């Protein structure tokens, strides 16, 4: 709903109501000359007050009611048009009791205001003129119109909430479906790799043989993959409330890369800050995917991970001295695509390309304020 703001339509209603009141006053009975300016002022204020009927309906109801009583007491026999609009706005805003109470007061006091302007007029005639100025049928119609629109807006809001709840429920069901699929398709294979590599390490050590670094790397990768899969499944099942990896886990990634024989280094510059969850998770994924690509495709001897805290952005750069060259750039795979999507979603920029001196570089800039 647009309640709470004064729009062009509201101002147009206010100006129109003011014009109707002034025209009715000019074409009707003329009051004493010395009080006429005050009457015209009350007519103007009562009409223009309707511009605020959306964000201050009770105040507008009171102002228009006092204006009606004021110009009737001065002698302006003008219908209470502005007050009817105010009743409509008050009921539409949900203040039904206030609108009913105000209307009862108006019906009771309006004849007294007319008697103040015409002391010689019979009481019965004053009450009849009050009913003409504030037609009960129009008063009821204004309240009914406000209530009808209020109910329609409430039903529209409920329908919108229902659609949102349905969408969330479908998303939850889809997450559970993905979790089941991942569990069925990956858990068994990762468990086999993990168990077999740990068994091979155990047997080699029991025989007193040297354990190859590659076998230790497979074992550690199997353990990490099992933890990652478990975390992913938990996140899918509980709508992302479980703990996930972040910047604090990057040193562990670099250590595991070293265990595979890669001379990997980590440098963190700038004043460390608490990062938003999305940005923290994205930093970890960029470094993880970059080191994974180096291990799989680069045939590199060294790699450097640099994280730079800047006032308005966090910069991640991962370089290697692998076989990539400008003439033989690797074909972008799913990993690079996933990194680019994560960075773009946070309003950042990603550059992944061969370096002029050989090797490959991943450079990402993530704005702090957009995260």
């Amino acid at each position: 709903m647009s309640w709470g703001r004064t729009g062009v339509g509201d101002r147009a209603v206010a100006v129109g109501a003011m014009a109707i009141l002034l025209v009715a006053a000019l074409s009707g009975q003329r009051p004493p000359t010395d009080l006429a300016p005050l009457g015209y002022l009350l007519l103007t204020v009562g009409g223009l007050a309707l511009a605020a009927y959306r964000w201050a309906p009770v105040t507008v109801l009171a102002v228009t009611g006092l204006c009606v009583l004021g110009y009737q007491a001065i002698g302006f026999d003008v219908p209470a048009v502005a007050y009817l609009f105010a009743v409509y706005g008050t009921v539409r805003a949900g203040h039904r009791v206030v609108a009913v109470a105000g209307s009862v007061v108006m019906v009771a006091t309006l004849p007294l205001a007319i008697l103040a302007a015409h002391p010689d007029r019979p009481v019965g005639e004053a009450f009849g003129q009050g009913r003409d100025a504030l037609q009960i049928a129009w008063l009821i119609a204004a309240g009914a119109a406000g209530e009808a629109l209020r109910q329609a807006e409430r039903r529209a809001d409920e329908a919108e909430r229902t659609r949102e709840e349905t969408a969330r429920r479908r998303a939850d069901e889809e997450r559970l479906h993905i979790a089941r699929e991942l569990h069925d398709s990956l858990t068994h294979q990762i468990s086999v790799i993990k168990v077999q590599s740990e068994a091979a390490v155990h047997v080699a050590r029991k025989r007193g043989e040297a354990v190859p670094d590659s076998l230790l790397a497979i074992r550690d990768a199997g353990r990490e993959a099992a933890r990652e899969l478990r975390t992913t499944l938990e996140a899918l099942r509980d709508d992302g409330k479980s703990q996930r990896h972040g910047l604090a886990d990057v040193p562990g990634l670099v250590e595991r890369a070293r265990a595979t024989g890669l001379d990997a280094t980590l440098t963190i510059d700038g004043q460390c800050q608490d990062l938003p969850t999305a940005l923290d998770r994205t930093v970890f994924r960029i470094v993880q995917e970059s080191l994974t690509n180096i291990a799989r495709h680069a045939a590199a001897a060294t790699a450097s991970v640099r994280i730079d805290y800047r006032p308005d952005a966090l910069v991640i750069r991962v370089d290697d001295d692998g076989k990539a060259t400008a003439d033989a750039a690797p074909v972008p795979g799913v990993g690079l695509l996933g990194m680019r999507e994560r960075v773009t979603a946070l309003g950042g920029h990603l550059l992944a390309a061969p370096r002029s001196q050989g090797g490959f570089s991943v450079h990402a800039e993530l704005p702090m304020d957009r995260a």
Side-chain angles (χ1 to χ4, degrees):
M1 293 186 295
S2 59
W3 288 89
R5 291 179 295 188
T6 300
V8 177
D10 299 336
R11 292 192 288 270
V13 169
V15 173
M18 180 194 68
I20 292 173
L21 292 173
L22 291 177
V23 169
L26 292 172
S27 61
Q29 181 180 354
R30 299 297 177 88
T33 305
D34 56 342
L35 294 178
L38 178 59
Y40 289 119
L41 176 63
L42 292 173
L43 290 167
T44 302
V45 171
L48 294 181
L50 293 177
Y53 84 100
R54 289 183 184 270
W55 61 270
V58 175
T59 301
V60 172
L61 182 73
V63 170
T64 54
L66 291 175
C67 288
V68 169
L69 295 176
Y71 65 66
Q72 287 288 344
I74 291 174
F76 281 84
D77 185 14
V78 178
V81 176
Y83 185 77
L84 295 178
F85 276 103
V87 169
Y88 158 81
T90 304
V91 175
R92 185 178 176 184
H95 305 292
R96 289 171 292 184
V97 175
V98 175
V100 171
S103 299
V104 171
V105 172
M106 279 292 296
V107 170
T109 57
L110 189 57
L112 301 179
I114 295 173
L115 286 175
H118 308 283
D120 55 342
R121 185 168 298 180
V123 175
E125 185 178 341
F127 274 89
Q129 184 177 347
R131 286 194 299 271
D132 291 338
L134 185 65
Q135 288 286 349
I136 303 299
W138 284 109
L139 189 63
I140 295 174
E147 179 64 15
L149 279 176
R150 191 181 75 85
Q151 293 293 339
E153 290 168 345
R154 184 180 62 83
R155 287 192 295 270
D157 290 342
E158 290 178 353
E160 182 65 24
R161 284 194 297 270
T162 301
R163 284 193 295 269
E164 291 176 355
E165 291 171 359
T166 301
R168 283 195 297 269
R169 186 172 62 252
R170 289 176 179 172
D172 291 340
E173 292 173 353
E174 183 63 21
R175 278 195 301 272
L176 290 175
H177 174 70
I178 294 173
R180 286 192 295 267
E181 290 293 327
L182 285 174
H183 182 274
D184 294 341
S185 61
L186 296 180
T187 302
H188 175 69
Q189 287 85 349
I190 291 176
S191 297
V192 169
I193 295 172
K194 178 173 172 290
V195 170
Q196 292 290 342
S197 61
E198 288 179 347
V201 171
H202 174 73
V203 170
R205 286 175 175 171
K206 188 175 181 180
R207 293 176 178 175
E209 300 173 353
V211 181
D213 291 340
S214 58
L215 183 56
L216 292 175
I218 292 172
R219 182 198 63 180
D220 294 340
R223 290 175 178 175
E224 179 63 21
R227 284 194 296 268
E228 284 282 334
L229 181 59
R230 182 167 59 250
T231 301
T232 302
L233 294 177
E234 290 173 355
L236 287 169
R237 286 169 177 153
D238 68 6
D239 196 15
K241 296 178 182 177
S242 61
Q243 173 131 21
R244 299 182 181 180
H245 289 301
L247 180 57
D249 301 295
V250 169
L253 289 175
V254 177
E255 287 296 330
R256 284 192 291 275
R258 287 199 193 101
T260 64
L262 180 68
D263 183 10
T265 60
L266 172 63
T267 304
I268 299 179
D269 283 341
Q271 185 176 359
C272 296
Q273 307 174 31
D274 290 334
L275 300 178
T277 302
L279 193 151
D280 192 39
R281 192 162 56 242
T282 299
V283 172
F284 176 84
R285 293 301 182 193
I286 290 173
V287 177
Q288 182 189 46
E289 184 62 34
S290 299
L291 292 177
T292 300
N293 287 339
I294 292 172
R296 289 178 178 173
H297 311 297
T302 63
S304 63
V305 178
R306 185 182 184 88
I307 297 174
D308 186 8
Y309 286 92
R310 295 181 182 176
D312 57 348
L314 185 70
V315 179
I316 306 103
R317 185 181 181 96
V318 183
D319 296 328
D320 67 71
D321 62 351
K323 61 184 180 180
T325 62
D327 297 332
V331 178
V334 176
L336 286 178
L337 179 60
M339 278 196 290
R340 193 175 303 279
E341 289 175 347
R342 287 176 181 271
V343 172
T344 303
L346 295 178
H349 303 282
L350 177 74
L351 176 62
R355 300 191 300 164
S356 59
Q357 64 269 41
F360 199 79
S361 177
V362 174
H363 181 93
E365 292 190 14
L366 300 170
M368 294 287 196
D369 55 344
R370 291 285 299 276

